């Protein structure tokens, strides 16, 4: 879950909000813990219990299911607007760096809102003493990633904090995109029988960061999957726009959290064919070692799409035909029962409830 407010949260629509003075704050946690930034249950508690009541309430700008970007209508143009902060440690890792992730994270939130990314603002919080060469490397990474993603960096801001703060740098990006006029994505339009597609292997980013920190004694050839998913989304919309009901990039909290949010928001169940989900050996191995579920591990270059059954084959073929989409796969189906639940279903008939992420097993992975 992502909002335009926290490190990653999203809002559904924007309209003039009534006064929210006295709105019911339900957030009762005595202090902020790492889990409040992990994208799972605690993040949801914070956003829904504190931000939503005070920033708009039931009738205001944050009404409806939380999404990856706010939707605005300006003189007839439908726009998506979002922001994301990046605090990943270390700054560089196999397959990417904070600068690249800062572009892709925001671009992907626009993409899964069916919006063509147009422009980004970039804000740096820099630590006193940061070598200029380190900053230059990230500015170059941002510029290159933006160019490749077809999005312009049009402004930003810089702040510096004392030595020992900010771990070198934090980056915030805000992005705006134009929603594809063919798209009608919303959790409420998801129906039983709809098919769940996944663009490729899961867990690469989270486990790459874990290994880059040297937290576990495991050698593996693994790279972050950080990339823009917009080219894949565009092909999907070309092939099946009227049937694309919902999309989400499973970043923090992973596929399990994203699908649980969908199940909650649409009031239906999701059968997840776990054996179909591609997981690299290195990711599976690290997860086994640490007692983690690959379904809870963050991705930075994959997306989930729920597609009407009659267009699912065409949708999957379109993603697979796009460069980088070859590993896309059908991973689940929406069902009426059990409502608001994600069930892992095995070919031999076994079943298990797949829950949202709770706690924060891998802090600061993006
Ligand atoms: Mg997202």
């Amino acid at each position: 879950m992502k909002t335009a407010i926290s490190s990653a949260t999203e809002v559904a629509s924007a309209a003039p909000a009534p006064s929210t003075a006295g709105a019911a704050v339900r957030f009762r946690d005595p202090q902020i813990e790492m889990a409040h930034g992990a994208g799972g249950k605690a993040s949801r508690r914070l956003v829904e219990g504190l931000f939503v009541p005070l920033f708009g309430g039931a009738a205001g700008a944050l009404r409806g299911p939380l999404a990856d970007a706010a939707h605005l209508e300006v003189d007839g143009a439908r726009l998506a607007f979002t922001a994301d902060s990046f605090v990943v440690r270390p700054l560089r890792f196999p397959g990417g760096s904070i600068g690249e992730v800062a572009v892709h994270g925001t671009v992907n939130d626009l993409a899964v809102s069916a919006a063509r990314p147009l422009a980004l603002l970039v804000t740096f919080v820099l630590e006193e003493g940061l070598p200029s060469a380190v900053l230059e490397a990230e500015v170059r990474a941002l510029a290159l990633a933006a160019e490749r993603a077809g999005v312009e960096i049009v402004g930003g801001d810089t702040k510096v904090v004392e030595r020992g703060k900010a771990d070198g740098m934090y980056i915030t990006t805000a992005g705006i995109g134009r929603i594809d006029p063919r798209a009608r994505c919303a959790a409420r339009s998801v129906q039983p029988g709809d098919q769940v597609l996944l663009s490729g292997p899961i867990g690469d980013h989270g486990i790459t960061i874990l290994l880059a920190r040297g937290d576990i004694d495991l050698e593996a050839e693994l790279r972050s999957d950080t990339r823009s998913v917009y080219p894949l989304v565009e092909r999907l919309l070309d092939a099946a726009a009227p049937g694309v009901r919902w999309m989400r990039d499973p970043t923090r909290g992973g596929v399990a959290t994203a699908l649980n949010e969908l199940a909650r928001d649409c009031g239906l169940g999701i059968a997840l064919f776990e054996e179909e989900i591609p997981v690299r050996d290195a990711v599976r191995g690290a997860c086994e070692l640490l007692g983690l579920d690959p379904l809870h591990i963050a991705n930075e270059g994959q997306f989930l799409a729920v597609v009407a059954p009659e267009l699912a084959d065409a949708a999957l073929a379109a993603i697979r035909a796009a460069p980088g989409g070859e590993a896309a796969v059908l991973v689940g189906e929406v069902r009426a029962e059990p409502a608001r639940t994600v069930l892992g279903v095995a070919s031999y008939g076994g079943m298990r409830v797949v829950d949202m992420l709770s706690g924060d097993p891998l802090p600061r992975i993006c």
Side-chain angles (χ1 to χ4, degrees):
M1 172 177 55
K2 206 153 160 26
T3 58
I5 302 152
S6 72
S7 58
T9 326
E10 300 112 24
V11 297
S13 66
S19 165
T20 53
V25 170
R26 299 183 309 277
F27 183 65
R28 295 283 175 256
D29 300 13
Q31 62 179 15
I32 294 305
E33 311 287 352
M34 294 302 287
H36 292 118
K41 286 182 181 173
S43 300
R44 190 149 187 137
R45 210 160 57 236
L46 171 63
V47 171
E48 295 183 347
L50 185 63
F51 297 156
V52 171
L54 294 181
F55 289 161
L62 294 171
R63 70 179 176 271
L66 297 168
D68 284 281
H71 292 188
L72 312 168
E73 196 160 323
V74 181
D75 294 339
R78 293 165 68 218
L79 302 174
F81 186 35
T82 191
D84 211 328
S85 296
F86 299 86
V87 297
V88 62
R89 181 175 60 81
L91 297 176
R92 310 221 104 188
F93 41 82
S97 69
I98 191 171
E100 264 177 78
V101 174
V103 170
H104 296 150
T106 293
V107 159
N108 289 345
D109 282 335
L110 296 172
V112 295
S113 305
R116 173 186 290 279
L118 297 174
L120 298 181
L121 298 173
V122 180
T123 295
F124 294 95
V125 177
L126 305 175
E127 180 184 351
E128 177 189 21
L130 177 74
S132 297
V134 172
L135 176 59
E136 181 177 334
E138 294 316 315
V139 174
R140 288 183 182 279
L142 276 151
L144 186 61
E147 187 186 322
R148 287 184 175 155
V151 64
E152 265 195 279
I153 293 175
V154 294
D157 182 47
T158 309
K159 297 285 194 298
V160 179
V161 295
E162 298 88 343
R163 262 172 221 276
K165 311 277 172 71
D167 284 342
M169 73 177 78
Y170 301 146
I171 301 176
T172 296
T173 50
I176 193 161
R178 181 156 196 165
I179 297 173
D180 192 308
R182 301 167 298 178
R184 287 286 176 273
C185 295
R188 65 180 172 278
S189 67
V190 171
Q191 295 167 26
D194 286 353
Q195 304 290 296
V196 182
L197 310 182
L198 169 67
S199 61
I202 63 166
D204 292 4
H205 178 76
I207 299 300
T208 296
I209 299 300
L210 185 83
L211 296 177
R213 287 182 194 156
D215 287 351
I216 58 168
D217 193 17
L218 185 75
E219 296 263 330
E221 285 293 309
L222 196 62
R223 296 164 64 80
S224 168
D225 60 0
T226 182
R227 61 172 174 170
S228 166
V229 299
Y230 183 71
L232 303 181
V233 167
E234 190 175 34
R235 297 289 190 95
L236 169 64
L237 293 173
D238 288 345
V244 178
R245 317 252 208 228
W246 176 90
M247 290 188 281
R248 178 66 55 86
D249 56 332
T251 52
R252 295 167 311 149
V255 166
T257 300
L259 291 181
N260 268 282
E261 289 180 352
L262 171 62
R264 227 182 86 147
D265 292 341
C266 71
L268 298 169
I270 295 165
L272 191 58
F273 313 138
E274 292 195 66
E275 293 149 347
E276 302 300 320
I277 297 175
V279 183
R280 294 184 211 279
D281 289 345
V283 171
R284 200 174 289 286
C287 284
E288 279 173 10
L289 212 58
L290 294 163
L292 300 173
D293 186 338
L295 290 171
H296 285 146
I297 306 297
N299 311 277
E300 290 292 337
Q302 306 299 345
F303 73 104
L304 291 156
V306 170
V307 181
E310 64 276 13
L311 283 166
D313 287 345
L316 186 58
I319 301 172
R320 283 183 174 164
E326 300 84 357
V329 64
L330 194 158
V331 295
E333 184 177 282
V334 179
R335 295 180 178 169
E337 301 287 338
R340 301 162 70 87
T341 303
V342 179
L343 268 191
V345 180
S347 54
Y348 61 83
M351 281 189 278
R352 67 161 183 141
V353 171
V354 175
D355 206 354
M356 287 176 82
L357 175 70
S358 53
D360 190 7
L362 295 177
R364 295 185 52 185
I365 42 84
C366 63

